[in-house]
Amino acid sequence: MKLRRAIIKSHRSIDFLDIRLGPFTILFGKNNAGKTNLLEALFGVLAPNRMADPHIEISKRAVGIRAASNSDLTRRAGAAYFQLEDGVSLDDEIRVLRHECKAPESPDFPALPDGQVAFVSDQWGDDPGLMFVDPEPYFSWVSEMECGGYEFDIDAWIAKREHCVGFRVTGPNPKPVLLDWEFVDGEDRVAAELAKVCLSVQDPEGGFFVNPAAPIMWLEPLQTGDAIPAWRLNPVILERMQKFGQLATDLLPDFLDGSIAAKIRFPSQDWRVGPKIVLDFRDPRNPDNPEGLIEDYDLAEMWDDRVGHELFGYGRGTLRWISVAAQLALQIMTDCPSVSTMRDANQGSFARHVLLLDEPEAHLHPSAVGSIVRWCERMVSYGFNVVAATHHDEFLRASKRDATFVHVTRNPDKWTTNARTLLSAATPFLQDLAVEIGMHPASVLSLHRAILFVEGPLDVAVLDEFAGPALDAAGVTLMPIHGTRNLQGLVDSELTTRLGLKMGVLTDATDPATMGERSNSKRSGEEVKVGRLVKMFHERGLPPPKSFGVPEADLLFAMPAEAIRDVVIKGEFPGWNELVAECRQSGSKGPSDSVNWKAYALDRYGLDLTTVNGVRSVVHKLNFANVPLSSIQAVVGQIIEWANDSA
């Protein structure tokens, strides 16, 4: 199973996000943008029964997750999409379930492509449900209701939710692992969990469980034939301790030169004290470190006086990664008991696992951060999915073939978190985005090779949602001018030319290739205004802006009406020109009168083109449905070629 996409609904600063992910996903952005919120929300989708919520028993909560408010309990929801792999037994099991699933067909919930599956969490249950249809229509519908696009209808919401529930089936779920960084009592927690594994009965089909009626005991009797009974430490426990040490050592990042082991401390004098498992990091710089698995309490007190023996003697960064290796080793022993070493793991052993890391570079020397990036890539090669939230530019240098970059930002007006996935074509330029991780402003200037002026914020939303990463990679900044009537004001924008930045203008109903050959009477209004602007620049001795255009009367019209009808509205829609004509007719307006056809589209057809978020949502749905936006694609290609041209 390879992580592919996530929908997050109502978690802290997140209202609604629909983003593409990958087996190695890197979340980056400024402080307080919401990266940790996104990381925790993804964990909550995959394991809602382990969130730090008041109604969940403390012993079952995931350590390191912040407690949510009671209001969050009733609203948090989302979906995680995975691509199934060939030759993986778990994925084959899901394929069988898909074949056996008899869910009715529904136009509201289209079937996912073969080889894809979604895991959905919502108010209707604690365990994520498995779906072979796309649950996105439900979440986007609820989001639109809550954003005030319509009057919220509780009965319609319940009906929609129950309809969505009808597509859920029971099946194997992903295994999210939040590798928390707080090492307060970390050694004791790991040792306690290891003791549970060592004393638990192994399920023949995998996993461990505690059997109160017949637990594994620390000691087992020896048949010596003597009258005095003899006992020895249970070899099963010793075997599991050795296995833990092998796995944990395999999982250390390469900046740590040492090994992890576990020892039993037994009471040689006072048997009222029970045995205890302790962790030990064997540092080659400390050759006196004993190699045995068993320690006497009294001798251990003497050994603990040596420098470097106890874990608290190490630095915080080192301790965190010792803790990570130990936590993950315990998870593997519990979930995959047949795996003894990472090198011997079979393909698909870790297909269900999603590792979540928050600021993995914290408290590390800069030279060690590259080791952590390599560690993440190694985990992906083992079959894990890895999602890391980071501030460090070393992660932005990760292989563009393996990594998926998600830029997380905060909306200053609504105080909500936004996120978008950068295309692989953008990764060579990620260093130019270093402002998001605290580089000098001079580095930011190198990002902006060109400024493209567009008519308004809705045009910015279309281009940014459709091709924002590619435009970022080309160094293009989008600036709205709030109507072509303001075009002439650009002649005073000498700042761009003084900084050496290219200037371009994108307008509707414009054919730059032919408009210079036509008279004003045969040009559109936009073409006439662009022509005047170019003339004014020439008169001032300034380099004129580059003209770009789409043939449609409005950039929004470049979205195919058929796709608006079939993908976005899933209902009646007349077409763009017909929509404007209907709007004029409804208001008894003439052909030359200006009308608010965007408001009419919302009122009549539920198509929100009046807000930036509404337009983004429409373009987002078309992109996910792979609807070609030919005019937009063509002009974006021209803009990128112009921006990258060194002339």
Side-chain angles (χ1 to χ4, degrees):
M1 294 170 59
K2 296 298 184 184
L3 195 57
R4 180 181 179 87
R5 175 185 174 193
I7 291 175
I8 306 296
K9 174 77 182 69
S10 298
H11 181 83
R12 297 189 185 279
S13 63
I14 299 172
D15 284 345
F16 180 80
L17 291 178
D18 187 351
I19 54 175
R20 296 181 188 271
L21 304 175
F24 182 20
T25 301
I26 297 167
L27 311 177
F28 73 99
K30 293 181 179 179
N31 279 328
N32 200 36
K35 299 184 298 298
T36 300
N37 287 349
L38 180 51
L39 203 69
E40 292 182 350
L42 181 58
F43 180 87
V45 168
L46 297 173
N49 56 339
R50 295 183 58 214
M51 290 296 286
D53 294 334
H55 76 306
I56 296 176
E57 186 179 337
I58 293 178
S59 62
K60 296 181 180 179
R61 299 178 192 173
V63 178
I65 296 244
R66 298 166 299 169
S69 66
N70 288 323
S71 62
D72 286 330
L73 302 181
T74 61
R75 302 179 64 231
R76 186 184 60 246
Y81 297 70
F82 289 84
Q83 183 73 39
L84 303 180
E85 298 180 90
D86 295 328
V88 176
S89 58
L90 170 69
D91 293 1
D92 291 340
E93 182 180 345
I94 294 176
R95 285 190 177 94
V96 171
L97 283 173
R98 177 167 190 157
H99 180 72
E100 296 175 348
C101 183
K102 304 299 182 182
E105 295 292 332
S106 170
D108 293 334
F109 297 95
L112 288 169
D114 288 339
Q116 287 188 33
V117 64
F119 292 87
V120 181
S121 295
D122 204 355
Q123 298 93 319
W124 52 69
D126 286 337
D127 295 324
L130 187 152
M131 284 190 179
F132 303 113
V133 299
D134 190 352
E136 187 274 338
Y138 166 73
F139 291 110
S140 60
W141 181 84
V142 172
S143 181
E144 290 172 6
M145 292 291 101
E146 293 181 351
C147 286
Y150 309 89
E151 183 178 353
F152 191 83
D153 186 337
I154 186 64
D155 294 330
W157 177 77
I158 292 174
K160 194 88 169 180
R161 190 186 78 172
E162 291 179 348
H163 185 46
C164 186
V165 172
F167 294 100
R168 296 172 74 244
V169 297
T170 301
N173 289 332
K175 291 278 188 179
V177 184
L178 186 82
L179 296 170
D180 71 278
W181 300 115
E182 291 301 324
F183 204 77
V184 177
D185 298 327
E187 180 183 1
D188 290 339
R189 284 196 290 109
V190 173
E193 290 299 318
L194 178 57
K196 289 181 183 178
V197 171
C198 289
L199 298 173
S200 298
V201 178
Q202 183 173 340
D203 189 328
E205 297 184 1
F208 292 88
F209 64 94
V210 176
N211 185 352
I216 292 178
M217 306 301 292
W218 287 101
L219 302 176
E220 69 173 14
L222 285 175
Q223 303 298 327
T224 62
D226 296 337
I228 300 176
W231 301 79
R232 69 173 180 179
L233 282 166
N234 194 320
V236 172
I237 296 176
L238 297 178
E239 178 185 345
R240 291 178 181 176
M241 288 171 56
Q242 287 179 316
K243 179 178 177 179
F244 165 79
Q246 290 174 339
L247 283 172
T249 300
D250 285 347
L251 291 165
L252 285 171
D254 55 30
F255 81 88
L256 287 176
D257 184 16
S259 60
I260 294 177
K263 295 183 177 182
I264 295 178
R265 288 184 178 172
F266 67 91
S268 59
Q269 297 180 5
D270 186 357
W271 283 89
R272 291 173 298 180
V273 178
K276 178 184 179 183
I277 291 181
V278 295
L279 293 187
D280 183 20
F281 181 66
R282 295 173 176 171
D283 192 324
R285 296 168 296 181
N286 183 12
D288 295 331
N289 205 341
E291 295 294 330
L293 294 175
I294 304 171
E295 292 182 350
D296 183 286
Y297 270 127
D298 298 326
L299 291 177
E301 290 178 1
M302 178 182 69
W303 289 335
D304 291 348
D305 292 334
R306 296 172 304 159
V307 176
H309 178 67
E310 289 295 328
L311 290 182
F312 62 74
Y314 290 92
R316 183 177 286 268
T318 296
L319 281 177
R320 285 181 166 185
W321 280 95
I322 293 174
S323 174
V324 164
Q327 290 176 56
L328 190 51
L330 283 170
Q331 190 75 38
I332 292 171
M333 289 183 68
T334 303
D335 298 337
C336 312
S338 62
V339 175
S340 297
T341 66
M342 298 301 295
R343 295 178 294 276
D344 298 334
N346 296 325
Q347 179 188 8
S349 295
F350 313 116
R352 297 173 63 183
H353 292 78
V354 180
L355 307 183
L356 305 167
L357 300 91
D358 193 9
E359 295 190 31
E361 73 278 6
H363 298 285
L364 291 179
H365 189 276
S367 62
V369 180
S371 173
I372 302 307
V373 176
R374 292 191 294 273
W375 185 89
C376 293
E377 293 172 338
R378 179 158 57 101
M379 294 303 105
V380 173
S381 71
Y382 287 145
F384 292 96
N385 293 277
V386 177
V387 183
T390 180
H391 293 279
H392 204 285
D393 60 349
E394 190 68 39
F395 279 84
L396 302 185
R397 298 188 182 100
S399 169
K400 66 180 181 181
R401 179 178 60 84
D402 298 328
T404 300
F405 297 92
V406 177
H407 188 194
V408 183
T409 57
R410 179 82 76 163
N411 184 333
D413 297 328
K414 296 180 63 180
W415 202 243
T416 55
T417 291
N418 298 317
R420 72 178 181 195
T421 303
L422 302 188
L423 302 179
S424 59
T427 56
F429 300 93
L430 281 173
Q431 287 304 302
D432 292 332
L433 295 177
V435 64
E436 299 296 343
I437 52 175
M439 291 184 70
H440 192 276
S443 300
V444 184
L445 188 59
S446 64
L447 168 66
H448 303 304
R449 301 183 184 88
I451 293 181
L452 180 69
F453 292 96
V454 297
E455 294 189 36
L458 299 184
D459 293 330
V460 173
V462 171
L463 295 172
D464 190 55
E465 187 65 36
F466 178 76
L471 293 170
D472 281 345
V476 178
T477 299
L478 302 174
M479 296 286 289
I481 57 176
H482 303 284
T484 54
R485 64 183 179 277
N486 296 322
L487 270 175
Q488 294 184 18
L490 298 185
V491 75
D492 295 322
S493 300
E494 295 186 25
L495 176 63
T496 57
T497 55
R498 290 175 64 181
L499 290 175
L501 301 180
K502 297 179 179 181
M503 181 189 298
V505 178
L506 171 63
T507 51
D508 310 318
T510 300
D511 183 358
T514 65
M515 69 179 185
E517 304 169 0
R518 291 181 271 117
S519 64
N520 279 352
S521 62
K522 294 184 178 181
R523 294 178 185 174
S524 69
E526 287 80 0
E527 289 175 330
V528 170
K529 293 170 185 174
V530 171
R532 290 174 183 165
L533 176 68
V534 171
K535 181 180 178 181
M536 292 174 66
F537 268 81
H538 279 303
E539 291 173 349
R540 293 210 181 179
L542 298 172
K546 175 72 172 178
S547 177
F548 300 95
V550 293
E552 290 82 4
D554 191 284
L555 187 62
L556 296 175
F557 290 8
M559 298 185 289
E562 297 82 2
I564 295 293
R565 182 186 307 115
D566 299 336
V567 175
V568 181
I569 298 178
K570 294 184 174 63
E572 179 186 359
F573 185 71
W576 294 110
N577 293 328
E578 294 80 3
L579 175 72
V580 176
E582 279 186 16
C583 180
R584 284 200 172 100
Q585 184 178 7
S586 67
S588 301
K589 300 291 185 180
S592 60
D593 292 330
S594 176
V595 293
N596 191 345
W597 55 269
K598 295 169 187 172
Y600 179 80
L602 177 60
D603 295 338
R604 175 66 178 81
Y605 297 103
L607 180 65
D608 185 6
L609 302 175
T610 62
T611 65
V612 168
N613 287 338
V615 170
R616 281 185 176 277
S617 176
V618 172
V619 179
H620 192 80
K621 291 176 181 178
L622 297 178
N623 274 342
F624 263 109
N626 295 317
V627 174
L629 307 182
S630 303
S631 294
I632 298 175
Q633 182 65 64
V635 76
V636 165
Q638 296 166 10
I639 293 167
I640 291 174
E641 182 179 2
W642 161 72
N644 288 330
D645 188 355
S646 59

